[in-house]
Structure formats: C-alpha cells, structure tokens
Amino acid sequence: MIQVERLTKTFGAVPAVDGISFEVRRGEILGLLGPNGAGKTTTLRMLTGYLAPTSGRIRVGDYSIPEDLLEVKKITGYLPESAPLYPEMLVFDYLAFIAAARAIAPADRRRRIEQAAELCGIREVMHQPVAEISKGYKQRVGLAAVMLADPEILVLDEPTSGLDPNQIVEIREIIRRIGKAKTVIFSTHILSEAEATCDRVVIIHRGRIAADRPTAELKEALGGKSRLALLLEGADAEGVERVLAPVPGVERLSCGPPDEAGRISVAVAVAAGVDPRAEIYRRIRGTDWTILDFHLQAQSLEEVFRELTREE
Amino acid sequence: MRAVWTVCRRECSAYFASPIAYIVIVIFLLVVGWFFFSTFFLLNQASLRAFFRMLPVVFAFVVPAVTMRQFAEEFHSGSCEILLTLPVRIPEIVLGKFLAGTIFVAALLVPTLAYPWLVAALGDLDPGPVIGGYLGALLLGAAFAAVGLFASALTKNQIVAFLTGSAICFGLCLVDQMAFFLPEAAARPLAYLAADVHFENIARGLIDTRDVLYFASLGFLALYGTVLVLEEKHG
C-alpha cells in the first residue's frame, strides 16, 4: 500500500530523516517508534504531503508523492500530534467543515458525521466548542474527522500523548477497531503501546531505521531472555545460591539484601529456550522457605529499544 | 471552486467568533466617524470628502489587523497541518481566505452607509462620487486584504503579520508624497504605485480601467506571493 524509498528530509544542514525505506501492507497497523526527535513526525508529515521530501520516493497505492499529491491526500487521513482543531468551532461544525472540504456529498454529510461520532464515541460533545472539551475528547474528535471521508490510509501522530491511562486505553481501542479495515500508521514513543496495537514495528533513531519487524517476531526474539523474580521468606543468600544454582537453565542468580521482615528478593537470569520454573519450585519445596512471590518477567520491547537506540 | 467557498465560510465564522473582529469594527467606526463628524459639525459641511480622503490610511491599519490571524494563527496552533493535508489545492485555500477577508472589509463599510444617507437627508448628495467612493473602498480593501494575507503567510506571529502588512499598505499610501524630491522621471512611475491616488481617482466618481487594474494587479501579486510562500514549504 505504501512504499517509502530512501526518504530524506534535511532542515538546513541537519538531516531530520536520513534515507529511510520501509513498506506498509494493506490492512496493516504499523507502529513508528522512536525517542523524541528521532524523525517520526517529519516522516509522517512527508507521507501526508505536509512537507516536501528533500529526496527519496514515496508511493501510495498507485500514486506517488509529489506528482499525485492531491490524489494521495484524498485517500489519506492525517491526525497531527495533539489534534490541532479549530478551538472556536463547535464539534459538529468542525466535522461538517471537514466533510465539506473532503467533498462528501451534502446529502451524505449528516449520516457520515453520525457514523464517525458513533465510532469514536463523541455524541455527547457534538454541540460543545472544541476549546471546552477534554484532551481525550479532542483526540477522538480528531479521529472522527479523519474517519469521515472513509480514507484507506490513516496516519496518526502520537495519538495517545498527553492522555490519562483510561483515555489511552479508549483511543487504542478505537485505533484497533479502525485498523481492522484500514491501513494505519501511527507514531509513538511508548513501547507497550506499539506492542499492544501494532502488527509491525519500525523503530527509528536519529532519522534512520534501527529495526523493522513484526511485533510478534520482536517479542519472540526476546522471549529467550526472560527473567524470574522470587520473593522468599526464611531464606539467606548462601542458601539460595546452594539450592538454586545447580538448576539446569539458571544462568545467574542475584539476591537483594534481606528487608526488616527477613525477606529477600531473588532475580534469576534464565538461559534461552529453557523453563526452569518447575524444577525451582521442587527445590524450594524441599527447604523450609516460604514463597511470597514467584513470577516470570517477560522482557519488554523497552529493553530492546534501549539497546537499539542507545547513544553511541 | 467549491473548496474556496468551504474555506471562506469557515473563515467568516471564525472572524465573528473572535473578539478581535468586534474590536476592529468599533475602532474603525470610531475613527471614520470622527473624520466624518468633525467636518459635519466644525465646518458645517455635510460632505463625505473627509471620510473618503482618510480611508486609505485608516484601511492601511485596519485591514491588516483583520487579516493578521488568517495564516499566522494556523501556523501557531498547528491547525494548518490538517488544513494543508486536506484534498484541497493551496490556491483554493488562499482564495477562500482572501474572499473571507474581503467580505469582512465589506461588512466594515456597511455601517458607514449611514453617512451618505445623512448627507442626502440634510443636503445635496452627488451620487457619482459616493458610488465611486464605495466601489473604490471595496477595491482598496480587497487589495489590502490580499497584502495582509501575504504578510500573515510569512510568520506564525500575528503581531509580526500585522506590522508587516500595515507597513506595506501604509507605504503604498505614502509613496506619492515621498516622491516629490525625486527627479520627474523617477517620481512618475513611483506615483503609479500610490494606492491613495488610484483610490481618489475612483472616489471622484471617475472609474478608469487604469485604477481598477492597479488594485487588481496589487491583489493578484499579493495572492500569488502567498501561494508561492505556502508551496515553497508545503508543495
């Protein structure tokens, strides 16, 4: 659906986006991930025709940027970061304006606005000025405006930034619902978000691509490097070392100092492809320790991300 | 062309939602009212001459104050990112905003129609100069609205947009008076640039194509410049 080839944008002498190439397939939800200032927004702005690329090619369906910019704009809906809507307009008027600008037939407008309002859950704020609704609603109105013309491609720049946890969950839910039928690209600097919502993740750092993989594959690659966390009562560091070190699959043990109640926490680094949990449990059962907590910490994308984007 | 109207309608409603519009209307009516009534009461003349004579200079400040927000505010708030990624051509956006500015200028002039009505009621009203005056005022206002729009597209700061716009408009009103110390050969073409001279010609009731052409080309130049500025960044 979208092919980006050696896309570059320089501001003065500084390259904001430095020769990146990636592809988005029809119906895919792609997460564009990176620390602040990595070039995510600049990339999205070029995809939507807001900024002209310095060099490189973008193909969207059968069209290319910049030759068929107007056609690309017709099939693309773009929601910039923090949803900059016109503050003085009523929500309904704003949606009506977007509907008119997107050349939706006047007879269809009301129905389309109602559908989009339903999808994004903004019925109750339709007659309030944009300036007076909450950030979460603003984001949803922005999404509704994007959905009005039923575009094939949705480009969302940090759609959950600045929202509270409940609002974040709601917006993600809407994105997932929309993503069933559309090609969606969204940027974020929160990994769990990409993990929760995307089919594929492209990580950019300093204007270059650091990784481009399906979310499942990324998680799988990390699966081998999991870690166990234990909280034990009545144990001591030497005892833990003696009992657990011989368990197959245990690579490294580190015990914290005992707290006032005499409990110690133990972190167990586990070798790839082995699950030593059952054996660890059997060994501990043979002692007089009490297990207060015992869980597997699946390594998050956070760690890979940090690894990939660490300052040289 | 449908998009021009869509943009224009939104701009017009945005004007009347902001207090700046009302402040500008009040200031404009106070200033021109003072010019009209000072001759009316002090000189005992029922005439529109003073009103029309001062109009170019008043417009040089009022019109850029009207248009300063048109692009600058969009750049500042980021709403231009949505506007410029809608399937609408840049010239259509510029034309829509220009049209809205011109409509606002026309709305400014409507209350002043009370003056010719008053003059007609009290004395002899020569309809030629009045019709010419209002036509000229509309042309002048539209041309200045285009200049103000151009200034607004240059910056995201409304104050800068206002100062740039009124500097250009005020300059165009003064250029003939500054030209007197230049040699004849240089003064003549410079005087052609003077907005107030062309306005006065029309306001005398003498509608000459040269004067109309002047305002049309000033407006076109400013709008074309606006399109170029926007396409440079967002083409």
Side-chain angles (χ1 to χ4, degrees):
Chain A
M1 188 80 213
I2 303 173
Q3 283 128 32
V4 175
E5 270 172 51
R6 292 191 300 281
L7 188 65
T8 300
K9 178 75 190 179
T10 50
F11 294 111
V14 191
V17 171
D18 195 0
I20 67 172
S21 306
F22 62 90
E23 200 177 318
V24 192
R25 281 180 285 273
R26 192 180 293 271
E28 197 171 40
I29 304 185
L30 179 84
L32 209 54
L33 218 69
N36 291 332
K40 300 183 299 269
T41 299
T42 309
T43 305
L44 297 185
R45 282 178 174 172
M46 287 189 281
L47 284 178
T48 52
Y50 180 68
L51 282 180
T54 308
S55 68
R57 270 162 45 93
I58 303 174
R59 284 195 62 80
V60 180
D62 299 328
Y63 308 113
S64 52
I65 291 176
E67 294 82 5
D68 319 302
L69 197 53
L70 204 65
E71 298 303 318
V72 173
K73 284 176 176 178
K74 276 182 196 162
I75 58 165
T76 309
Y78 175 40
L79 180 61
E81 189 177 351
S82 73
L85 318 174
Y86 295 113
E88 75 282 353
M89 292 179 99
L90 299 182
V91 170
F92 181 85
D93 291 348
Y94 180 76
L95 294 177
F97 162 67
I98 297 288
R102 285 202 167 265
I104 294 171
D108 287 345
R109 279 181 205 163
R110 188 164 266 282
R111 189 177 52 81
R112 289 282 193 85
I113 290 172
E114 273 169 18
Q115 278 174 355
E118 188 65 48
L119 178 73
C120 300
I122 52 167
R123 283 182 163 284
E124 55 276 31
V125 295
M126 288 301 263
H127 299 289
Q128 283 180 38
V130 169
E132 286 172 19
I133 62 177
S134 73
K135 244 179 161 174
Y137 268 123
K138 227 172 110 185
Q139 203 66 248
R140 288 200 243 172
V141 172
L143 273 175
V146 164
M147 291 303 293
L148 270 182
D150 201 25
E152 290 176 50
I153 300 163
L154 281 108
V155 180
L156 315 171
D157 193 3
E158 307 230 346
T160 59
S161 79
L163 303 185
D164 70 35
N166 286 335
Q167 295 169 330
I168 288 177
V169 170
E170 284 161 12
I171 293 290
R172 275 188 207 159
E173 188 45 51
I174 294 170
I175 293 173
R176 253 199 304 262
R177 216 180 306 153
I178 292 169
K180 281 186 188 135
K182 312 270 171 211
T183 306
V184 181
I185 303 182
F186 79 89
S187 75
T188 175
H189 58 268
I190 304 161
L191 280 146
S192 55
E193 186 156 290
E195 215 172 1
T197 326
C198 303
D199 301 320
R200 210 151 55 83
V201 176
V202 170
I203 300 178
I204 349 186
H205 181 52
R206 295 190 169 179
R208 289 166 184 275
I209 290 189
D212 178 355
R213 279 197 219 166
T215 318
E217 208 177 283
L218 256 186
K219 274 201 254 182
E220 215 171 85
L222 301 167
K225 283 189 185 174
S226 52
R227 199 170 13 207
L228 285 167
L230 281 155
L231 186 61
L232 300 171
E233 199 173 67
D236 56 280
E238 295 98 77
V240 169
E241 187 70 38
R242 181 164 38 78
V243 173
L244 297 184
V247 176
V250 171
E251 285 193 329
R252 203 159 29 80
L253 283 166
S254 51
C255 300
D259 63 10
E260 309 90 83
R263 297 182 284 208
I264 58 170
S265 59
V266 184
V268 183
V270 178
V274 191
D275 187 355
R277 280 178 292 181
E279 184 58 25
I280 288 174
Y281 174 68
R282 273 193 288 274
R283 297 270 174 129
I284 293 175
R285 210 172 45 175
T287 66
D288 55 354
W289 307 338
T290 313
I291 299 178
L292 299 171
D293 185 20
F294 184 17
H295 69 268
L296 185 70
Q297 281 178 329
Q299 198 179 8
S300 65
L301 284 176
E302 218 90 44
E303 283 159 60
V304 176
F305 181 68
R306 228 176 280 136
E307 227 159 81
L308 286 168
T309 61
R310 208 177 9 225
E311 305 290 320
E312 282 89 42
Chain B
M1 279 307 108
R2 181 197 39 76
V4 173
W5 180 234
T6 304
V7 172
C8 173
R9 255 200 352 243
R10 201 213 73 80
E11 283 295 311
C12 286
S13 65
Y15 269 135
F16 291 99
S18 99
I20 294 181
Y22 298 100
I23 295 169
V24 167
I25 291 175
V26 168
I27 291 176
F28 173 76
L29 291 178
L30 277 176
V31 171
V32 298
W34 186 79
F35 283 120
F36 177 74
F37 284 106
S38 61
T39 55
F40 188 82
F41 289 117
L42 298 179
L43 306 177
N44 247 345
Q45 270 177 4
S47 143
L48 287 169
R49 197 134 6 100
F51 165 64
F52 281 130
R53 204 183 50 236
M54 288 314 293
L55 203 60
V57 173
V58 176
F59 265 7
F61 291 98
V62 167
V63 176
V66 168
T67 58
M68 65 182 182
R69 45 160 289 281
Q70 291 197 300
F71 277 111
E73 194 183 36
E74 299 236 19
F75 293 147
H76 184 75
S77 74
S79 55
C80 60
E81 250 186 274
I82 292 179
L83 183 66
L84 291 168
T85 53
L86 288 173
V88 177
R89 289 181 186 83
I90 286 176
E92 290 176 320
I93 295 173
V94 170
L95 224 55
K97 286 186 181 262
F98 162 71
L99 212 61
T102 306
I103 290 172
F104 191 88
V105 170
L108 271 181
L109 287 169
V110 169
T112 68
L113 290 173
Y115 304 150
W117 176 78
L118 199 65
V119 172
L122 294 173
D124 253 351
L125 183 76
D126 183 359
V130 173
I131 293 167
Y134 275 96
L135 185 74
L138 214 55
L139 285 170
L140 178 79
F144 280 6
V147 170
L149 190 64
F150 171 69
S152 185
L154 295 175
T155 169
K156 58 168 133 183
N157 184 328
Q158 293 193 39
I159 306 291
V160 173
F162 169 69
L163 293 175
T164 312
S166 47
I168 298 172
C169 294
F170 195 53
L172 288 172
C173 291
L174 287 183
V175 75
D176 57 318
Q177 280 144 56
M178 293 190 290
F180 69 91
F181 54 84
L182 288 175
E184 179 74 8
R188 188 69 74 67
L190 211 59
Y192 182 78
L193 290 178
D196 57 337
V197 173
H198 293 285
F199 171 71
E200 272 158 30
N201 287 345
I202 300 178
R204 269 202 304 258
L206 201 79
I207 294 161
D208 188 329
T209 29
R210 272 177 304 182
D211 302 315
V212 176
L213 205 66
Y214 167 81
F215 289 115
S217 35
L218 177 61
F220 175 79
L221 219 67
L223 293 179
Y224 188 61
T226 314
V227 171
L228 286 185
V229 167
L230 292 174
E231 275 179 353
E232 161 75 24
K233 277 192 250 172
H234 309 290

